[in-house]
Amino acid sequence: MELFDSSKHGTLSAFFSHYSSSFITYPGSDFLLKPVFICGFSGLLHLVLLFVLLVSCVWKKFKVGDGEGPKQRFGSIQSWYYKLTLLCCLGVSGLSLVFCLLNYFYWHRNDWSEEKLVILFDLAIRTLAWGALCVYLHTQFSNSSESKFPNLLRVWWVSYFSISCYSLVIDILLYKEHVSLPILSFVFDVVCVISGLFFIYVGFFGKKEGRNTVLEEPLLNGNGNAESNNSKGGTPVTPYSNAGFFSILTFSWMGPLIALGNKKTLDLEDVPELYKGDSVAGSFPNFRNKLEAECGVDGRVTTFHLAKALIFSAWKEVGLTGLYAIFYTLASYVGPYLIDTFVQYLYGRRKFKNEGYALVSAFMVAKLVECICQRHWFFKAQQAAVRSRAVLVTAIYNKGLTLSCQSKQGHTSGEIINFMTVDAERVGDFPLYMHDPWMIIPQVGLALVILYINLGLAAIVTLVATIVVMWVNVPLGSLQEKFQEKLMESKDKRMKATSEILRNMRILKLQAWEMKFLSKINELRKTEAGWLRKFVYTSAMTTFVFWGAPTFVSVVTFVACMLLGIPLESGKILSALATFRILQEPIYSLPEAISMIVQAKVSLDRIASFLSLDDLPPDVIENLPRGCSDTAIEIVDGNFSWDLSSPSPTLKDLNFKVSQGMRIAVCGTVGSGKSSLLSCILGEVPKISGTLKMCGTKAYVSQSPWIQSGTIEENILFGQEMDRERYERVLEACSLKKDLEILSFGDQTIIGERGINLSGGQKQRIQIARALYQDADIYLFDDPFSAVDAHTGSHLFKECLLGLLGSKTVIYVTHQVEFLPAADLILVMKDGRITQAGKFNDILNSETDFMELVGAHAEALSVLNSAEVEPVEKISISKEDGEFGGTSGVVQNVEDTDVQNSKTDDLPKGQLVQEEEREKGRVGLSVYWKYITTAYGGALVPFILLAQVLFQVLQIGSNYWMAWATPVSEDVKPAIETSTLLTVYVALAVGSSFCILFRSMFLATAGYKTATLLFSKMHLCIFRAPMSFFDATPSGRILNRASTDQNVVDLNMPGQIGNLANSMIQLLGIIAVMSQVAWQVFIIFIPVIAICIWLQQYYISSARELARLVGVCKAPVIQHFAETISGSTTIRSFDQESRFRDTNMKLMDGYGRPKFHTAAAMEWLCFRLDMLSSITFGFCLVFLISIPAGVIDPGVAGLAVTYGLNLNTLQVWFIWNLCRVENRIISVERLLQYTTLPSEPPLVIESNQPDLSWPLRGKVDVHDLQVRYAPHMPLVLRGITCSFPGGMKTGIVGRTGSGKSTLIQTLFRIVDPASGQILIDGIDISSIGLHDLRSRENGENWSMGQRQLVCLGRVLLKKSKVLVLDEATASVDTATDNLIQQTLRQHFTDCTVITIAHRITSVLDSDMVLLLSHGLIEEYDSPATLLENKSSSFAQLVAEYTMRSNSSFE
């Protein structure tokens, strides 16, 4: 068939007459050989097909309308046939359209003929018919259960194949007769025959079985074979692990996940597992071995060691990406090399026949190689990034688990979280830029070769100019490194403070200190922002230098040509400009690459420094094989110190032996070294001298409960298998069964961070249950009974220590003297020494420290016997009747299961701690709008865009000027003087450079201001959030936003937004240049851009959710690490390090899965965009070589080709930036989520501020107080009415979970009541500001000995009118408690003191005692009055305490 006018290659009319007389013997049969017959017949056949398809669709529509519903989807075995057939039909339709348009635009300038009209008719009908066939296949067979195509299609495909073969045979016969044919005609017929063969195969010979062929995965929605490739756990492994060559080449293995994401919101379960090589379990051992081999004997990790281990652990990816980079560079310079030849061809200087097609083929092959290499280079680099990030985080985690106490003091969890969230991320991003520095050498080298060919010795000047540009970067790079280091140091300090504040937010709110601590965070941020400002402005200068560098190099080169007398011809100029544009890519990316190298080096320095810290000394304990000795623990001449540099050891001259099965009690005053002794036995305290031997497994219960986020059952089992009988015994012994009964989810209730939805006593009992369930040989208890009431403490001691652990070795620290007689050996400590050791009776009568402790205990008990009845004003109490199910006194996820025997089914059940919230669907335009208008109301945005547009206009103008003004060759006279030529060019170049300077500075200013404002607003909202937010939100989620997301907004987001605008403007510039040469290029531009946009929309739904999953999956990693650091002693004591390491690996793989597939999805999209842009470029080239010489200016046409060489890069860059921005904007979205948190009531209400003297008397009136912790939760306090007289001391007592702490929290408005009110001196506390309330009162809830005393001292100095003590003396010895009570009596005689205590002696001298039970007031009177009634609950509590205190528990 004919595509172009045959007159160009010789007419066919003479041939037809000759051919008919010599080859065909039948008169008139030459008509069968003419294109008019072939095309006419083909057109009629396609017209018939079009008609039949229309009738068939109408018939099917009526048939379905009669009630036949859609059938199930085309069989999975045949689905790939269907998809490839659909793609092939689409290809034939598209090819016909392209050829139709080419013919039309060539012929419309010439005379029309009947033959030309028939050819156009055939191509137009082909386009419509095959397009209709695509629609028919999609609508009729995508949901069909048929396994074969219908006979109609098979008949058509036979006809199509026959007519295609006929056309090809005619072409061959004509060629043999030496008739010149257009090459495109032959190519078109060959393509038709090949496609016809495929259709014949599919229609008649397609197999019903068998998969896994190379062509199995289509370009768009390849099925892959993930379903058949499962991991050991049954979860699908990524299809990448065993994808075929074609699938890997085209990234079609990502098709199923992208298709799924286009139909539904992706969840983590939808994302396949990483294959072994990319998982932590597969990659970390290799990295660890490499690092250990590098570090040698001393084990000190340096930056070089770390970098080398990372590279060698991923050497395959490093090598492959290097090869891809080399081939990409070689292919990218083919275009600039051929530009001059192409311009000469357009000018009419042809070297051989079909030279134009050879040039087009060379351009296209190079472009395809460039695209494929670039895509796989980036993908492999990101694959290495996922692996590097995972092994670094794992190494940091493992190090955090083994840090010595002294090392840990130098690096808090907040700082180490920064190592994981920021530094490891930075190093993980480095593989993308890893080859950029050394690739400069071949890139510049190739550029110089091409320039030397075109411009001769001027290439040397180009080299010098390039070196100057590189040299200018040196001081900028060193400044960036310096500022980066300072920025990270200041960020560490801020994160350290933020982490500590979040841990103690309840205390800050009780003291009305949250705004003071917010100002501390803001001060730290101010320092950080100072370094950030210097960093971003330095980066802006670097951007200016390198964006101006190509212009500078080109100006210098062209000026050198003028001075050296080298003629400037348009072809050579365009080749040089194309070379500069190609060289622009590494020069443009070099600032970012240098910045990333600097950041990666700083981060590696920090990580290496952390990994070099001292671990716990391994030689502290000499572990003996289990069961080999009757001695459980033995210390001989032991001296231990937390700080080895301290002249005074923490523990001195320790000598004692503990036999198997002994019970050892440790007692002493606050700060005597009791807890340090247990830490010493655990191997936590560095040894100075002596020996410590241990035989058997150990379990440890810390003084401050350590609870993991997770279910109660998981906390108790702690990695052990479930033994139901043992589990039930442990629950019974720890008095946990009643607590579990009232929780909605029982032992499946998820405990919040640090056990926030449990009372102190419940947390302590869960911790004890965890130790009991381990069934260890040696148990270490650090004062576990101080957080529970007397009855529960007695029960725990009897059932646990004397019962379940009766045959075990137990060492327990206690301040309760009543628990000492049961010990086989008592160790009395003072100043780090064991001053006495023996049985209770043996050391009782000695005039020593032990007698002081026992004497203080006896003095406290004497108060019980001397209680007298005192007159007290009548107190009115409202109490509801009936039985009530107990509820915990702090935030709990409970359901009231026994209120008047009715269930609260109308209340929705839900765990307190939910999965992290994430937005779904498209990121709203409001997020973008808020981001760009945050700084100065968006006033800088128009100036940034204007500067970018002017830069692009001036760049194009300067290149256009050079292409237009220079002659094609030496024999053509220049249009203008060389000096004028270069003067205009330099002026345009300088103008573009200033535009980019303004753009860089404005962008840096806007980005910095936006980051600062978002930080301030988010932190203000966090600090003003109610306590319920912190109870339900693990700190890892907040820290993730304060570190990772804030870092994105600080450093990445401005550049990403700027790059998006830049790429879009550059792309529009290229389209403008190419369409100016030939407006017909829009014919291909419009459908290609439409397809690109459709692909981007098809992709973005999956990419968006994958990016969100990355953010959501990172928080558990941080959370787990924070919990591990705080509980490292407990973890090590249970020998659970390996299990926690495995958990961290699983969490890192969970984070790596969406990260890996996000990268793959991006390359899936970019590969397809590359192919489409290559088609556009190819179309433009074919069009240019098809038009007659002289129709268009060769120089301008060459300029279009010069810009077209970068078309695919810019098109991909634009879409990549668009997707990157939508992914990165999620960080802004996450910050904005926390700028709309519900806030506490106002801190100060100006219109209702109490007098400065308020509260004058301190009288507290409670009226019908009902409290619940959330609207869907049951009441915790169920209608309390009472009064606390001013100036009197009131003790609040009750069993664990009775609501004591809840009442206090309501008093401070940590929780607002559901109904009722609290009045202080007649003022409703809900009507005044929180700071007015909390600053006039005082509340404490601290723990652990010396810290409690320090904090209590601060409270005493504050001299508040209302003092609230919540278990303020729980962790001090009895003697110290007596001293504190005496101090309170002396210095707070005119103050209202409200005390919560489990130690009955702490409340006996109170004026009033309030006893709570299940959220109700059970009793309220003076202690003496309540004690007179022996049946009162308070009398029973006192009796229990007295009985326990007088009991020896022997």
Side-chain angles (χ1 to χ4, degrees):
M1 59 177 292
E2 190 80 12
L3 292 181
F4 301 109
D5 191 358
S6 57
S7 62
K8 185 177 177 182
H9 304 284
T11 60
L12 286 177
S13 56
F15 164 75
F16 284 134
S17 59
H18 167 77
Y19 190 74
S20 61
S21 61
S22 63
F23 183 71
I24 305 294
T25 59
Y26 302 104
S29 61
D30 61 337
F31 178 74
L32 298 176
L33 303 174
K34 289 185 177 179
V36 70
F37 167 75
I38 299 172
C39 294
F41 183 70
S42 171
L44 287 173
L45 281 178
H46 283 85
L47 194 60
V48 171
L49 171 66
L50 195 59
F51 177 75
V52 171
L53 289 175
L54 180 63
V55 171
S56 176
C57 286
V58 173
W59 172 256
K60 286 262 186 181
K61 189 173 181 68
F62 279 110
K63 193 174 180 182
V64 171
D66 290 338
E68 182 180 323
K71 299 179 182 178
Q72 65 183 22
R73 181 166 290 278
F74 209 81
S76 61
I77 294 176
Q78 295 291 323
S79 62
W80 73 274
Y81 282 123
Y82 155 71
K83 292 176 182 177
L84 282 180
T85 303
L86 186 63
L87 282 174
C88 196
C89 292
L90 190 61
V92 174
S93 177
L95 190 66
S96 301
L97 175 63
V98 169
F99 277 51
C100 179
L101 295 173
L102 282 173
N103 276 339
Y104 172 77
F105 288 115
Y106 178 72
W107 287 336
H108 85 283
R109 299 176 183 175
N110 304 314
D111 294 333
W112 290 95
S113 66
E114 178 183 299
E115 184 177 297
K116 293 176 181 177
L117 289 173
V118 172
I119 291 172
L120 286 178
F121 166 78
D122 176 37
L123 290 171
I125 294 297
R126 279 174 182 257
T127 302
L128 292 174
W130 286 101
L133 188 56
C134 290
V135 175
Y136 176 78
L137 283 171
H138 180 69
T139 56
Q140 302 299 328
F141 289 92
S142 61
N143 290 320
S144 173
S145 60
E146 298 176 19
S147 60
K148 288 186 177 182
F149 292 104
N151 292 330
L152 168 66
L153 287 182
R154 286 192 268 179
V155 169
W156 162 248
W157 286 333
V158 170
S159 304
Y160 170 73
F161 178 66
S162 302
I163 192 69
S164 300
C165 288
Y166 180 78
S167 297
L168 183 60
V169 169
I170 295 299
D171 288 344
I172 294 172
L173 291 175
L174 293 177
Y175 180 77
K176 285 187 176 181
E177 292 296 322
H178 306 290
V179 177
S180 181
L181 290 173
I183 190 169
L184 288 182
S185 171
F186 183 78
V187 170
F188 185 85
D189 289 339
V190 168
V191 171
C192 290
V193 170
I194 293 173
S195 60
L197 273 173
F198 171 76
F199 291 133
I200 293 292
Y201 174 78
V202 169
F204 293 92
F205 306 106
K207 296 179 181 179
K208 292 186 178 181
E209 297 180 359
R211 300 186 67 176
N212 298 326
T213 62
V214 170
L215 295 177
E216 186 167 10
E217 299 93 347
L219 284 173
L220 188 63
N221 292 335
N223 287 333
N225 42 18
E227 294 175 5
S228 62
N229 181 26
N230 292 343
S231 64
K232 293 179 181 178
T235 307
V237 176
T238 176
Y240 174 74
S241 60
N242 63 351
F245 171 78
F246 181 77
S247 181
I248 289 177
L249 184 71
T250 62
F251 297 95
S252 293
W253 55 270
M254 267 301 296
L257 185 60
I258 293 175
L260 182 63
N262 203 40
K263 295 173 184 174
K264 67 181 284 282
T265 300
L266 288 179
D267 293 313
L268 188 59
E269 306 81 55
D270 300 317
V271 183
E273 295 281 354
L274 297 172
Y275 91 106
K276 187 176 179 182
D278 288 326
S279 67
V280 183
S283 56
F284 182 70
N286 187 25
F287 166 78
R288 182 187 57 213
N289 294 338
K290 295 284 184 185
L291 187 60
E292 289 174 354
E294 287 295 324
C295 295
V297 180
D298 62 353
R300 291 288 169 184
V301 180
T302 65
T303 304
F304 177 73
H305 292 153
L306 197 56
K308 194 173 178 183
L310 283 171
I311 291 172
F312 277 97
S313 62
W315 65 269
K316 289 182 181 178
E317 284 71 22
V318 173
L320 274 174
T321 51
L323 284 175
Y324 286 137
I326 286 289
F327 283 114
Y328 165 76
T329 301
L330 292 173
S332 65
Y333 279 99
V334 170
Y337 177 75
L338 294 176
I339 282 287
D340 187 33
T341 307
F342 191 77
V343 170
Q344 299 302 323
Y345 174 85
L346 295 179
Y347 192 65
R349 296 176 179 177
R350 318 295 169 74
K351 296 179 181 178
F352 57 89
K353 187 180 179 182
N354 292 328
E355 182 189 4
Y357 294 112
L359 285 171
V360 170
S361 300
F363 274 118
M364 291 305 295
V365 169
K367 189 56 67 178
L368 289 175
V369 171
E370 176 190 337
C371 295
I372 291 171
C373 288
Q374 187 181 39
R375 297 280 61 83
H376 286 275
W377 170 14
F378 286 1
F379 173 67
K380 280 291 180 184
Q382 291 180 87
Q383 186 181 10
V386 169
R387 196 178 301 176
S388 302
R389 191 180 297 111
V391 297
L392 279 178
V393 170
T394 304
I396 293 167
Y397 178 89
N398 292 352
K399 184 69 178 182
L401 201 52
T402 61
L403 276 182
S404 67
C405 180
Q406 194 168 3
S407 299
K408 198 182 293 185
Q409 286 176 347
H411 291 80
T412 65
S413 59
E415 290 178 278
I416 305 173
I417 284 170
N418 257 4
F419 294 144
M420 299 176 70
T421 58
V422 178
D423 293 300
E425 284 290 326
R426 288 253 171 79
V427 177
D429 290 338
F430 176 69
L432 276 171
Y433 305 88
M434 176 171 47
H435 299 297
D436 286 1
W438 69 265
M439 281 300 297
I440 288 289
I441 297 172
Q443 285 168 334
V444 172
L446 286 169
L448 290 175
V449 169
I450 294 172
L451 290 171
Y452 183 78
I453 292 171
N454 289 297
L455 303 178
L457 292 176
I460 298 175
V461 179
T462 304
L463 176 61
V464 173
T466 305
I467 292 172
V468 168
V469 170
M470 303 296 180
W471 177 79
V472 168
N473 176 70
V474 173
L476 289 173
S478 60
L479 277 176
Q480 275 189 302
E481 181 175 9
K482 174 188 173 184
F483 295 152
Q484 174 72 15
E485 286 178 351
K486 296 294 185 181
L487 178 63
M488 294 310 300
E489 287 175 9
S490 56
K491 192 183 291 287
D492 280 347
K493 292 177 182 177
R494 173 175 64 83
M495 288 304 299
K496 175 183 177 181
T498 304
S499 178
E500 291 174 350
I501 287 170
L502 291 177
R503 282 200 305 270
N504 299 290
M505 185 58 77
R506 187 179 301 274
I507 304 301
L508 301 185
K509 287 191 175 292
L510 285 169
Q511 296 284 359
W513 287 344
E514 67 267 40
M515 301 314 292
K516 294 178 184 176
F517 278 80
L518 174 60
S519 66
K520 290 180 182 294
I521 293 294
N522 286 333
E523 283 297 315
L524 291 170
R525 172 65 180 181
K526 188 176 179 181
T527 304
E528 180 186 351
W531 294 114
L532 175 64
R533 182 172 60 250
K534 292 176 182 178
F535 181 83
V536 296
Y537 281 121
T538 306
S539 298
M541 287 304 300
T542 306
T543 302
F544 162 66
V545 168
F546 281 97
W547 278 58
T551 305
F552 168 74
V553 171
S554 62
V555 166
V556 170
T557 303
F558 293 151
V559 170
C561 287
M562 181 183 72
L563 296 176
L564 294 172
I566 299 170
L568 295 176
E569 302 167 10
S570 60
K572 298 183 184 301
I573 288 289
L574 290 172
S575 180
L577 288 175
T579 303
F580 293 143
R581 285 186 66 82
I582 297 295
L583 197 56
Q584 253 183 339
E585 184 185 339
I587 291 181
Y588 276 177
S589 62
L590 197 57
E592 190 175 5
I594 290 173
S595 175
M596 288 305 302
I597 291 169
V598 167
Q599 293 179 35
K601 181 184 180 299
V602 171
S603 293
L604 281 174
D605 288 343
R606 287 157 48 82
I607 294 173
S609 173
F610 175 71
L611 295 179
S612 297
L613 293 175
D614 291 332
D615 287 337
L616 282 170
D619 59 343
V620 174
I621 302 177
E622 182 183 340
N623 285 301
L624 304 176
R626 190 176 185 181
C628 71
S629 172
D630 291 335
T631 301
I633 301 168
E634 183 179 11
I635 300 180
V636 179
D637 298 330
N639 289 279
F640 301 84
S641 180
W642 289 112
D643 184 4
L644 292 175
S645 62
S646 173
S648 176
T650 308
L651 298 171
K652 302 174 277 287
D653 304 326
L654 298 185
N655 285 280
F656 67 91
K657 179 190 290 187
V658 179
S659 300
Q660 297 285 357
M662 285 184 68
R663 277 194 299 276
I664 310 295
V666 183
C667 60
T669 57
V670 173
S672 59
K674 303 182 296 297
S675 296
S676 294
L677 177 62
L678 295 190
S679 297
C680 159
I681 295 171
L682 290 170
E684 298 289 319
V685 187
K687 181 173 64 176
I688 298 175
S689 62
T691 59
L692 167 57
K693 296 180 181 179
M694 181 177 289
C695 179
T697 59
K698 57 190 180 298
Y700 170 65
V701 177
S702 60
Q703 186 175 15
S704 178
W706 177 71
I707 303 293
Q708 270 190 286
S709 294
T711 65
I712 292 175
E713 181 188 282
E714 289 168 349
N715 270 274
I716 294 174
L717 296 183
F718 206 56
Q720 299 288 321
E721 293 294 326
M722 169 61 81
D723 180 337
R724 180 56 63 180
E725 185 180 346
R726 176 160 47 126
Y727 184 74
E728 294 296 331
R729 285 202 311 269
V730 167
L731 292 181
E732 185 65 44
C734 295
S735 299
L736 282 171
K737 287 204 167 183
K738 278 190 177 180
D739 297 273
L740 297 182
E741 286 172 3
I742 62 173
L743 293 173
S744 301
F745 297 87
D747 62 1
Q748 298 305 307
T749 299
I750 295 177
I751 304 174
E753 185 180 22
R754 302 183 304 277
I756 51 179
N757 50 337
L758 296 175
S759 69
Q762 288 169 326
K763 285 187 280 189
Q764 193 65 276
R765 283 180 282 137
I766 287 175
Q767 192 176 222
I768 295 171
R770 176 174 63 207
L772 295 183
Y773 191 81
Q774 298 301 305
D775 195 25
D777 300 317
I778 302 168
Y779 284 83
L780 306 175
F781 291 89
D782 192 354
D783 195 17
F785 310 117
S786 59
V788 296
D789 57 72
H791 173 76
T792 306
S794 301
H795 177 86
L796 289 173
F797 191 82
K798 289 178 183 176
E799 299 297 325
C800 298
L801 270 69
L802 303 184
L804 290 180
L805 303 182
S807 60
K808 305 287 187 179
T809 304
V810 180
I811 300 179
Y812 59 97
V813 171
T814 184
H815 290 126
Q816 280 86 354
V817 174
E818 59 269 24
F819 294 145
L820 296 178
D824 299 315
L825 178 67
I826 299 173
L827 303 179
V828 183
M829 298 201 68
K830 185 175 183 180
D831 298 329
R833 285 187 169 88
I834 299 176
T835 57
Q836 282 182 284
K839 280 187 165 289
F840 184 85
N841 292 328
D842 296 338
I843 60 177
L844 183 61
N845 297 320
S846 59
E847 294 295 329
T848 58
D849 301 323
F850 183 68
M851 268 308 297
E852 293 179 17
L853 295 173
V854 176
H857 179 65
E859 179 185 339
L861 288 178
S862 67
V863 179
L864 296 174
N865 302 321
S866 61
E868 296 180 1
V869 180
E870 297 180 3
V872 182
E873 60 178 291
K874 183 67 177 176
I875 307 296
S876 61
I877 302 173
S878 171
K879 175 182 173 183
E880 298 179 12
D881 296 326
E883 298 296 325
F884 298 92
T887 59
S888 174
V890 292
V891 181
Q892 286 186 342
N893 188 11
V894 298
E895 182 183 2
D896 186 6
T897 57
D898 189 19
V899 181
Q900 298 293 345
N901 297 320
S902 64
K903 294 187 177 180
T904 54
D905 292 335
D906 57 319
L907 296 177
K909 296 182 182 181
Q911 298 281 14
L912 174 69
V913 181
Q914 303 288 342
E915 288 187 12
E916 182 170 5
E917 73 287 348
R918 65 179 173 111
E919 303 288 341
K920 296 191 177 181
R922 178 184 295 277
V923 176
L925 289 176
S926 61
V927 177
Y928 293 93
W929 182 252
K930 286 177 183 175
Y931 179 75
I932 64 174
T933 58
T934 296
Y936 311 109
L940 291 181
V941 174
F943 293 101
I944 294 170
L945 291 175
L946 178 62
Q948 188 66 60
V949 170
L950 285 176
F951 168 76
Q952 189 62 28
V953 169
L954 293 173
Q955 283 277 299
I956 292 174
S958 62
N959 292 338
Y960 193 93
W961 168 256
M962 294 298 286
W964 174 82
T966 52
V968 175
S969 61
E970 292 184 39
D971 53 358
V972 178
K973 185 180 178 180
I976 55 174
E977 293 293 328
T978 305
S979 57
T980 306
L981 173 76
L982 290 179
T983 300
V984 173
Y985 182 74
V986 169
L988 293 171
V990 170
S992 68
S993 297
F994 275 107
C995 286
I996 209 61
L997 174 63
F998 293 139
R999 177 256 188 199
S1000 300
M1001 299 307 289
F1002 285 155
L1003 186 64
T1005 302
Y1008 167 78
K1009 186 68 174 178
T1010 301
T1012 304
L1013 291 174
L1014 284 178
F1015 176 91
S1016 300
K1017 190 172 182 181
M1018 180 182 76
H1019 279 72
L1020 176 62
C1021 289
I1022 289 174
F1023 276 68
R1024 288 287 291 116
M1027 200 61 219
S1028 58
F1029 166 75
F1030 298 96
D1031 289 343
T1033 307
S1035 61
R1037 294 182 191 171
I1038 304 173
L1039 292 174
N1040 196 14
R1041 284 169 171 81
S1043 58
T1044 307
D1045 293 318
Q1046 185 64 49
N1047 190 67
V1048 168
V1049 174
D1050 284 347
L1051 298 176
N1052 303 120
M1053 203 64 215
Q1056 211 69 62
I1057 293 281
N1059 286 341
L1060 176 61
N1062 176 28
S1063 58
M1064 181 177 68
I1065 291 167
Q1066 284 202 57
L1067 185 60
L1068 292 174
I1070 286 183
I1071 293 174
V1073 170
M1074 295 180 73
S1075 59
Q1076 193 275 337
V1077 173
W1079 63 266
Q1080 293 86 348
V1081 80
F1082 272 113
I1083 294 166
I1084 195 71
F1085 263 136
I1086 291 172
V1088 164
I1089 289 175
I1091 295 171
C1092 287
I1093 292 172
W1094 178 82
L1095 275 172
Q1096 191 266 346
Q1097 293 300 312
Y1098 182 81
Y1099 148 89
I1100 197 62
S1101 56
S1102 300
R1104 184 192 304 119
E1105 299 310 321
L1106 285 170
R1108 284 175 173 148
L1109 284 173
V1110 168
V1112 169
C1113 292
K1114 192 168 189 176
V1117 177
I1118 299 172
Q1119 182 66 29
H1120 179 68
F1121 180 76
E1123 289 182 347
T1124 299
I1125 292 297
S1126 62
S1128 56
T1129 300
T1130 301
I1131 294 167
R1132 289 191 291 263
S1133 70
F1134 285 88
D1135 296 322
Q1136 293 276 340
E1137 296 100 313
S1138 61
R1139 182 173 70 88
F1140 274 76
R1141 290 190 188 107
D1142 290 343
T1143 301
N1144 176 66
M1145 288 183 178
K1146 289 176 184 175
L1147 291 172
M1148 274 310 300
D1149 280 344
Y1151 171 62
R1153 283 157 60 191
K1155 198 83 173 174
F1156 173 83
H1157 289 92
T1158 296
M1162 176 64 75
E1163 299 311 320
W1164 177 94
L1165 174 68
C1166 290
F1167 177 82
R1168 282 145 184 78
L1169 298 180
D1170 273 344
M1171 294 300 105
L1172 288 168
S1173 60
S1174 297
I1175 291 171
T1176 306
F1177 182 55
F1179 176 86
C1180 184
L1181 291 176
V1182 170
F1183 179 81
L1184 289 174
I1185 67 169
S1186 301
I1187 58 178
V1191 175
I1192 191 170
D1193 184 345
V1196 177
L1199 179 65
V1201 175
T1202 302
Y1203 274 92
L1205 286 171
N1206 276 1
L1207 177 63
N1208 71 302
T1209 302
L1210 270 177
Q1211 189 170 323
V1212 169
W1213 191 37
F1214 169 65
I1215 298 294
W1216 186 85
N1217 277 312
L1218 183 64
C1219 299
R1220 189 86 166 176
V1221 164
E1222 184 146 2
N1223 289 346
R1224 289 288 176 92
I1225 200 71
I1226 290 170
S1227 288
V1228 178
E1229 180 184 58
R1230 285 161 58 82
L1231 293 188
L1232 290 175
Q1233 280 178 346
Y1234 276 23
T1235 61
T1236 56
L1237 295 174
S1239 178
E1240 282 188 311
L1243 299 178
V1244 176
I1245 300 176
E1246 298 289 346
S1247 61
N1248 193 25
Q1249 276 194 281
D1251 294 335
L1252 294 176
S1253 60
W1254 180 87
L1256 189 61
R1257 296 175 54 210
K1259 182 182 179 183
V1260 180
D1261 295 304
V1262 181
H1263 297 291
D1264 192 25
L1265 188 66
Q1266 298 185 0
V1267 177
R1268 55 164 53 98
Y1269 283 97
H1272 64 278
M1273 290 184 176
L1275 292 172
V1276 179
L1277 297 181
R1278 310 170 183 235
I1280 290 179
T1281 300
C1282 62
S1283 292
F1284 301 143
M1288 297 180 68
K1289 296 175 180 57
T1290 303
I1292 302 177
V1293 295
R1295 301 199 186 281
T1296 300
S1298 59
K1300 303 183 297 296
S1301 294
T1302 303
L1303 177 59
I1304 300 305
Q1305 291 188 72
T1306 310
L1307 185 61
F1308 284 88
R1309 291 183 66 191
I1310 296 296
V1311 182
D1312 277 325
S1315 65
Q1317 59 181 176
I1318 298 178
L1319 305 177
I1320 299 181
D1321 282 359
I1323 294 181
D1324 188 346
I1325 64 172
S1326 64
S1327 66
I1328 62 175
L1330 292 182
H1331 274 195
D1332 283 331
L1333 169 67
R1334 294 170 182 170
S1335 61
R1336 314 286 178 95
E1337 296 182 33
N1338 225 312
E1340 293 299 323
N1341 188 7
W1342 303 74
S1343 62
M1344 293 176 295
Q1346 289 170 312
R1347 273 184 280 175
Q1348 284 189 320
L1349 295 181
V1350 170
C1351 299
L1352 197 57
R1354 184 174 61 212
V1355 174
L1356 297 179
L1357 289 172
K1358 197 172 179 183
K1359 294 288 289 183
S1360 298
K1361 193 66 180 178
V1362 179
L1363 176 65
V1364 182
L1365 303 175
D1366 188 354
E1367 291 293 346
T1369 60
S1371 295
V1372 299
D1373 57 89
T1374 308
T1376 308
D1377 185 27
N1378 291 345
L1379 179 62
I1380 291 170
Q1381 299 304 325
Q1382 182 181 349
T1383 304
L1384 291 174
R1385 284 192 292 271
Q1386 289 176 357
H1387 296 283
F1388 286 85
T1389 53
D1390 59 342
C1391 296
T1392 303
V1393 181
I1394 301 173
T1395 304
I1396 293 178
H1398 285 132
R1399 193 177 277 167
I1400 295 297
T1401 55
S1402 299
V1403 298
L1404 273 177
D1405 66 338
S1406 300
D1407 300 306
M1408 301 292 292
V1409 170
L1410 174 69
L1411 192 147
L1412 292 177
S1413 177
H1414 307 327
L1416 289 168
I1417 296 177
E1418 188 166 334
E1419 295 170 355
Y1420 186 28
D1421 214 325
S1422 68
T1425 303
L1426 292 175
L1427 287 173
E1428 281 184 342
N1429 181 4
K1430 301 302 181 184
S1431 63
S1432 71
S1433 297
F1434 180 70
Q1436 291 174 12
L1437 278 177
V1438 173
E1440 287 174 5
Y1441 184 81
T1442 307
M1443 188 183 307
R1444 185 187 82 173
S1445 301
N1446 291 329
S1447 171
S1448 65
F1449 289 100
E1450 293 182 290

